[in-house]
Amino acid sequence: ASTEQKNQALQYAAEILLKHAATIIKANTLDMANGRQKNLSAAMLDRLELNEKRIKAISEGMLAIAELPDPVGRELESWDRPNGLYIRKVTVPLG
């Protein structure tokens, strides 16, 4: 995908996340209950818990990522080998 497409996707996801925060929090209530039932540690439950503040922070994080320069395709270094082979180290997405 192009940089613009990736940034639009991040911005849209951030918007939708905020728009559906109440639904997400409601579903998270069930996740938290299941976590307590399975005796998850307090630290694990804290990581699992979503509230308005955390959802807003996630959304803001997505928008912040969209503002960063796109690292994909950036040439980090290049060199010529004695045998004439030209080598480039370029950033690529994983996953």
Side-chain angles (χ1 to χ4, degrees):
S2 71
T3 298
E4 184 178 337
Q5 289 171 321
K6 290 184 273 187
N7 289 342
Q8 285 177 348
L10 284 165
Q11 291 163 352
Y12 180 71
E15 178 185 327
I16 293 300
L17 188 64
L18 291 177
K19 182 177 179 181
H20 295 284
T23 303
I24 293 167
I25 291 168
K26 185 177 178 181
N28 183 248
T29 301
L30 298 173
D31 294 336
M32 293 296 292
N34 287 334
R36 286 185 194 93
Q37 186 179 14
K38 293 182 181 188
N39 296 317
L40 293 183
S41 68
M44 290 296 289
L45 288 170
D46 181 60
R47 289 185 201 131
L48 181 63
E49 185 177 15
L50 292 173
N51 54 40
E52 285 185 34
K53 183 178 177 183
R54 287 184 175 184
I55 290 173
K56 185 176 183 206
I58 293 167
S59 176
E60 289 171 352
M62 293 170 132
L63 294 174
I65 291 169
E67 294 295 320
L68 295 173
D70 189 348
V72 176
R74 189 177 54 158
E75 185 174 304
L76 301 175
E77 57 184 308
S78 63
W79 62 94
D80 287 310
R81 298 284 301 153
N83 64 357
L85 183 64
Y86 177 67
I87 299 177
R88 293 176 43 206
K89 185 188 283 187
V90 179
T91 58
V92 297
L94 294 177

